[in-house]
Amino acid sequence: MTKRQMALLACTTAVVASGLGAAAPSAAGWRVHRVQPGESIQKAVDAAKPGDTVLLSPGLYHESVTITTSDVTLRGLNADSAVIVPDPASGSACAKAGNGICVTGTEGKRVERVTVRSLTLKNFTKNGLWASRTDHLKVQGVTAERNGQWGLAQERSVHGVFSHNIAERNGDAGLFVANTVDREEGAQDAKSLVISDNRLLGNRIGVTVRRLRHLTVQHNEVTGNCTGVFVVGDESAPRAGALSVRRNHVYANNKLCPKTARLPFLQGTGIVLTGTEKTLVTKNRVEDNVGTSPLSGGIVLFKSFVGALNERNEIRDNVVLRNGPSDLANRDTGKGNTFKGNQCSVSEPAGMC
């Protein structure tokens, strides 16, 4: 543990023990701003300086919170103790957009090293957490449930970490990362973004990775969604891909979701790649995903819905069992895709198991 972490831990412990609501300085000068239910989280965040922590006492908070200051931590004592839900009377831009927490930089300057940890975000009409133009954002130990669109989401961001979160019963993806959501652009370099050790349950899609490069999706439990992991590319340059999906347990994603303007109905899909290149899918357990959608199956390659092909992707050393209509499916005409070393029973075309 670093000196900074030891000082912050000592300060946090002192504040919790004292029950004082005011900010308390650490030996190193960083401050912990404690918030009680009924008090304003936003007021404490606005008062925080780089290095400070805003600590939420257990309870229910009716609020949306915007973070624009770098190197600030917002956290509860644990994920279940501090619960943030909408305030219909709030006039903030974050609240009006339907989001719980907004971490936002600007076009000229990303907000850096923000941490959101150990709290619950639920019932927001849009997103539990929305981040745009961030660098080294960490979202850890957060529960996002029953939000209208995405549980946890970011765009135009680099070097992020989403780990040990729970995203459950959100309207679209439990966890969504993209280059941008407001225009058509080529894939962005995510610069080693990590999505790790999350539980993604009962959403429309467990994890969506859209038009990004250079990231890892690993060690996640993905179940009860309509589709488990969806890696999306298109014809734009640079292409989406050059990423890895590895060591995830993706099982029984058999919920039925109706078609949208962009996608057919979804059901029974484990991992699907559309319009991507140089993606490594390896050492995953993909089991019991069964449906009748064009995308149904264990691990599926499908050309994107604007016609972009998958090319030079490697599907290897996965355990892919009891999926339907097949464990492995290459429903694409792209070149250079390889399937090897997988444990499976049924493939399209035959002979890949």
Side-chain angles (χ1 to χ4, degrees):
M1 183 177 290
T2 67
K3 291 182 179 179
R4 179 181 185 276
Q5 291 170 322
M6 292 175 65
L8 185 57
L9 178 60
C11 182
T12 301
T13 303
V15 173
V16 172
S18 69
L20 297 176
S26 71
W30 298 289
R31 300 177 71 86
V32 174
H33 306 257
R34 185 173 179 183
V35 184
Q36 302 279 358
E39 297 177 341
S40 170
I41 302 172
Q42 189 65 63
K43 183 176 179 180
V45 167
D46 291 344
K49 306 296 183 184
D52 287 2
T53 292
V54 176
L55 179 64
L56 306 183
S57 298
L60 185 65
Y61 297 83
H62 293 267
E63 193 170 352
S64 292
V65 182
T66 300
I67 303 173
T68 58
T69 300
S70 291
D71 199 17
V72 165
T73 295
L74 172 62
R75 64 168 299 168
L77 296 177
N78 57 64
D80 297 326
S81 66
V83 180
I84 302 176
V85 298
D87 175 10
S90 176
S92 72
C94 186
K96 288 180 178 179
N99 301 320
I101 294 176
C102 298
V103 186
T104 54
T106 65
E107 188 170 354
K109 185 177 181 181
R110 291 187 172 106
V111 62
E112 300 179 351
R113 299 179 305 280
V114 168
T115 298
V116 178
R117 178 177 296 165
S118 302
L119 49 81
T120 293
L121 302 164
K122 62 189 299 184
N123 297 334
F124 289 91
T125 58
K126 195 76 173 288
N127 309 311
L129 179 140
W130 169 247
S132 182
R133 295 187 168 94
T134 68
D135 189 348
H136 286 97
L137 171 68
K138 290 184 179 179
V139 181
Q140 298 173 310
V142 172
T143 296
E145 62 176 291
R146 296 185 181 275
N147 299 291
Q149 184 170 264
W150 302 317
L152 307 170
Q154 76 168 22
E155 64 153 10
R156 297 186 179 279
S157 298
V158 295
H159 298 124
V161 174
F162 290 81
S163 67
H164 298 92
N165 304 294
I166 298 173
E168 184 173 5
R169 290 176 288 178
N170 298 285
D172 192 68
L175 208 159
F176 174 90
V177 292
N179 59 346
T180 179
V181 299
D182 59 4
R183 67 188 71 175
E184 297 292 328
E185 291 184 355
Q188 182 187 74
D189 185 347
K191 297 185 178 179
S192 301
L193 167 68
V194 175
I195 298 170
S196 178
D197 297 282
N198 303 285
R199 298 185 68 218
L200 305 155
L201 315 169
N203 308 283
R204 184 168 180 268
I205 299 171
V207 181
T208 297
V209 176
R210 195 170 83 184
R211 300 173 188 158
L212 288 176
R213 298 175 67 84
H214 303 129
L215 68 138
T216 300
V217 180
Q218 64 182 12
H219 299 291
N220 300 286
E221 180 187 3
V222 190
T223 188
N225 310 282
C226 304
T227 293
V229 179
F230 205 147
V231 183
V232 183
D234 59 24
E235 76 281 7
S236 300
R239 296 278 302 280
L243 58 92
S244 66
V245 179
R246 65 191 186 199
R247 297 187 182 276
N248 302 283
H249 191 193
V250 185
Y251 63 98
N253 291 283
N254 297 328
K255 190 169 77 166
L256 176 63
C257 292
K259 68 178 182 179
T260 66
R262 298 181 67 93
L263 292 174
F265 79 93
L266 300 177
Q267 182 190 38
T269 305
I271 299 171
V272 61
L273 309 183
T274 67
T276 68
E277 67 173 7
K278 299 180 181 178
T279 294
L280 174 64
V281 180
T282 187
K283 297 184 179 180
N284 301 281
R285 292 192 67 90
V286 184
E287 303 168 304
D288 302 305
N289 303 282
V290 179
T292 58
S293 166
L295 301 178
S296 295
I299 301 176
V300 179
L301 269 59
F302 200 95
K303 69 179 180 181
S304 80
F305 291 91
V306 295
L309 303 177
N310 290 288
E311 297 179 320
R312 292 167 290 165
N313 298 292
E314 185 176 2
I315 317 300
R316 63 172 169 84
D317 302 323
N318 301 281
V319 176
V320 196
L321 297 172
R322 301 180 304 279
N323 301 281
S326 58
D327 295 315
L328 299 176
N330 187 357
R331 301 175 187 145
D332 200 346
T333 57
K335 304 299 183 182
N337 300 300
T338 60
F339 294 76
K340 60 184 179 182
N342 300 291
Q343 181 182 344
C344 61
S345 298
V346 181
S347 69
E348 305 172 41
M352 294 194 296
C353 292

